[in-house]
Amino acid sequence: MAIRNQIIGVMRFSYPAKEGFAVSQMDEAALEAHLYDEPRLLQRFIYLETITLPSLAAQTDMDFRLVILSGTSLPMRWRKQLRTLEERYSWVKIVFLDRMGALAAAKRSFRRGTDEGTTHITGFRIDDDDAVATDYIARTRDIADRTLHAGLADDPYAIAFSRGIYWNLYDPDQPFHEFREPQPLGLACAMITTADLPTCIYRYNHRRLGCYVPTYMEPGRDYMFLRTLHEHNDSGRSIPPHAVEMATRRGRKLLGERFGLDPEAAISLMPEAPRGDGRDMGPKGPLT
């Protein structure tokens, strides 16, 4: 049988899942009030349209699909705004689902993005405030295709990249740090499965992915992800203890060169403009 591998990403955009998030513990009314708060949604759209979508629009390999998952309870104003993204980006598909478990919703979203005749899916996950390098799709496809043709992905198989940048939007003195993840990060991570989706990348805690699924993790010389920290993060994020400080001028340059962003538009997301050039400490420690 000929292999036809399709690359599909799923992004959960303020989806009111029954589990999987700290806020999922709220009752349904309280959860929707939190997720659909107007200032919060306005900010999420700004991050999405300034950081995440530009990085995907700049991919060197555009043969992929991004499914943006949201809830059927999302107010119509915001549903229409999501629909405009389908008109702007041919590779975006918007899916609205009723409230259900996070894994069930993710698997349904991957299925909605799957073309007829696809034999395998390389499914990646991404949040609406993060970015991947402009060659992320191309490099993921290359590894996935070689893995499939070597017969190593008859069962689910994960692909991850370890090197990336943490960007603290609320630290004007030292916004950028570089880091090599010792375990897979949900960002810049994908899972190869057959098209019937026995599982998907959202099934496991990404830090423990290698405990359950054979995982290829590439250290590499290039930065493959950009992870943001800000007051609207839905999950706890912090600069890792062994991260290396990066000069602000270098971080700003990489926003454009490595991630395809408009550096000025991106930097304007910081409530307070960067002060000075930051520090560039160079490599240190075993995890850098």
Side-chain angles (χ1 to χ4, degrees):
M1 179 182 69
I3 294 173
R4 184 182 175 193
N5 178 35
Q6 185 180 355
I7 298 185
I8 305 171
V10 167
M11 174 196 296
R12 300 177 293 194
F13 187 83
S14 296
Y15 177 70
K18 289 184 176 181
E19 38 79 15
F21 302 92
V23 294
S24 298
Q25 308 272 338
M26 296 179 177
D27 66 58
E28 189 168 358
L31 177 59
E32 290 181 0
H34 166 73
L35 293 177
Y36 302 158
D37 174 67
E38 182 170 336
R40 180 187 179 279
L41 279 174
L42 282 170
Q43 192 62 55
R44 302 311 298 197
F45 270 103
I46 289 171
Y47 292 144
L48 174 64
E49 296 184 57
T50 309
I51 298 174
T52 312
L53 293 180
S55 79
L56 292 170
Q59 291 298 305
T60 58
D61 179 346
M62 294 301 300
D63 185 15
F64 70 94
R65 178 167 293 133
L66 176 71
V67 178
I68 300 179
L69 164 65
S70 197
T72 52
S73 57
L74 183 72
M76 188 56 65
R77 169 192 173 186
W78 306 110
R79 294 180 67 168
K80 288 180 179 178
Q81 190 161 340
L82 282 177
R83 288 294 188 195
T84 65
L85 300 177
E86 283 184 318
E87 301 170 5
R88 192 184 318 168
Y89 301 106
S90 61
W91 37 271
V92 166
K93 182 178 181 65
I94 307 298
V95 169
F96 297 106
L97 295 178
D98 292 337
R99 190 181 187 208
M100 65 185 72
L103 178 60
K107 290 177 73 171
R108 289 193 186 191
S109 298
F110 278 116
R111 289 191 179 101
R112 295 279 186 94
T114 304
D115 293 334
E116 186 177 351
T118 295
T119 63
H120 292 80
I121 293 169
T122 299
F124 68 94
R125 56 186 293 177
I126 191 167
D127 289 341
D128 58 15
D129 54 359
D130 294 327
V132 288
T134 57
D135 58 352
Y136 170 69
I137 298 295
R139 290 175 68 170
T140 298
R141 183 188 307 282
D142 177 59
I143 296 168
D145 286 354
R146 285 189 285 136
T147 301
L148 282 164
H149 285 95
L152 299 177
D154 293 334
D155 295 315
Y157 189 98
I159 301 167
F161 296 91
S162 70
R163 195 178 190 196
I165 297 172
Y166 279 72
W167 174 21
N168 188 343
L169 276 65
Y170 281 77
D171 186 352
D173 292 314
Q174 188 61 55
F176 297 104
H177 293 74
E178 67 170 278
F179 188 60
R180 290 183 184 271
E181 296 285 346
Q183 299 99 22
L185 187 65
L187 180 59
C189 185
M191 184 184 290
I192 309 169
T193 69
T194 50
D196 60 346
L197 283 163
T199 187
C200 74
I201 190 64
Y202 283 100
R203 169 63 179 84
Y204 305 103
N205 180 314
H206 56 83
R207 297 293 187 187
R208 295 180 56 79
L209 188 58
C211 297
Y212 301 98
V213 178
T215 301
Y216 171 87
M217 193 163 181
E218 182 171 293
R221 294 177 298 175
D222 299 317
Y223 302 106
M224 294 301 293
F225 64 83
L226 176 70
R227 197 173 198 216
T228 65
L229 286 71
H230 51 79
E231 65 178 1
H232 291 271
N233 291 135
D234 288 331
S235 59
R237 295 186 180 187
S238 60
I239 301 295
H242 293 276
V244 176
E245 295 166 343
M246 176 184 289
T248 301
R249 63 181 179 277
R250 185 175 181 223
R252 184 195 301 258
K253 185 178 181 182
L254 287 167
L255 292 177
E257 291 185 353
R258 192 75 192 117
F259 298 99
L261 310 188
D262 178 335
E264 296 308 312
I267 290 294
S268 73
L269 297 177
M270 297 180 65
E272 185 177 347
R275 295 191 287 261
D277 286 333
R279 297 172 292 277
D280 199 343
M281 303 299 291
K284 64 177 182 180
L287 298 181
T288 59

